[in-house]
Amino acid sequence: MQADCTFCQIVSGELPADLVDEDERTVAFMDINPATLGHVLVVPRRHVADVMSAGADDWLAVAATARRMARWVVAAFGAGGVDLVQANSDGSVGNQTVFHLHIHVLPRYHDEQLGSWWSPQTADPAEITQAARRLVDHGRNDPETTLGLASTTS
């Protein structure tokens, strides 16, 4: 637990929250500033700042709980779909405001005003290919990379 972390304080019970689900690794609770009806946050019990610093076990546990919450919010609220949003930031870019790993589970409704996260635009295919190559090259040197595209392509 990190003493100055709001989500750690919720996990420990020091701060109140409307808990929805919990297990040995994760806690799901209602967002106090919901984007839509039924907006849930899923966090690991252990303090982890973001997805890059999370161990695979914590990340997989959070993802599994988020998946479960997605099923619940669609069924409970009759949502037409659900967005799972996980933001990371160094504090200057991105949209992470609480530096404790979390996934927003956002039910989406036909009559809501939230809109799209971005406007898709056709990009230069050469730029897309170059970006893919950069990622594959990086992946070949990533200590957490196991067998996969980055380790098998030439």
Side-chain angles (χ1 to χ4, degrees):
M1 182 170 141
Q2 187 166 311
D4 62 345
C5 174
T6 301
F7 291 169
C8 284
Q9 293 170 348
I10 289 171
V11 167
S12 72
E14 186 178 337
L15 284 178
D18 289 306
L19 299 182
V20 177
D21 191 33
E22 60 184 318
D23 60 29
E24 62 280 352
R25 297 192 74 103
T26 65
V27 177
F29 54 92
M30 302 305 292
D31 193 308
I32 63 169
N33 297 302
T36 62
L37 175 66
H39 181 169
V40 174
L41 297 174
V42 178
V43 304
R45 287 186 177 276
R46 184 170 27 153
H47 181 82
V48 179
D50 56 33
V51 71
M52 282 83 64
S53 56
D57 289 346
D58 282 330
W59 173 244
L60 292 173
V62 168
T65 300
R67 179 177 178 268
R68 185 169 57 254
M69 292 302 97
R71 291 191 320 266
W72 288 15
V73 299
V74 167
F77 298 108
V82 63
D83 288 350
L84 299 178
V85 179
Q86 201 288 307
N88 296 275
S89 174
D90 64 1
S92 63
V93 296
N95 202 26
Q96 185 178 13
T97 57
V98 177
F99 294 91
H100 183 122
L101 173 64
H102 58 288
I103 295 180
H104 293 262
V105 180
L106 295 167
R108 299 302 302 261
Y109 303 99
H110 297 287
D111 62 346
E112 49 131 278
Q113 302 298 312
L114 193 55
S116 297
W117 295 109
W118 67 88
S119 299
Q121 298 178 0
T122 302
D124 178 355
E127 288 180 13
I128 295 170
T129 298
Q130 181 59 33
R133 287 183 182 140
R134 285 178 66 182
L135 286 170
V136 170
D137 288 346
H138 177 78
R140 287 186 177 121
N141 298 311
D142 182 357
E144 289 192 27
T145 298
T146 57
L147 294 179
L149 185 62
S151 60
T152 60
T153 60
S154 51

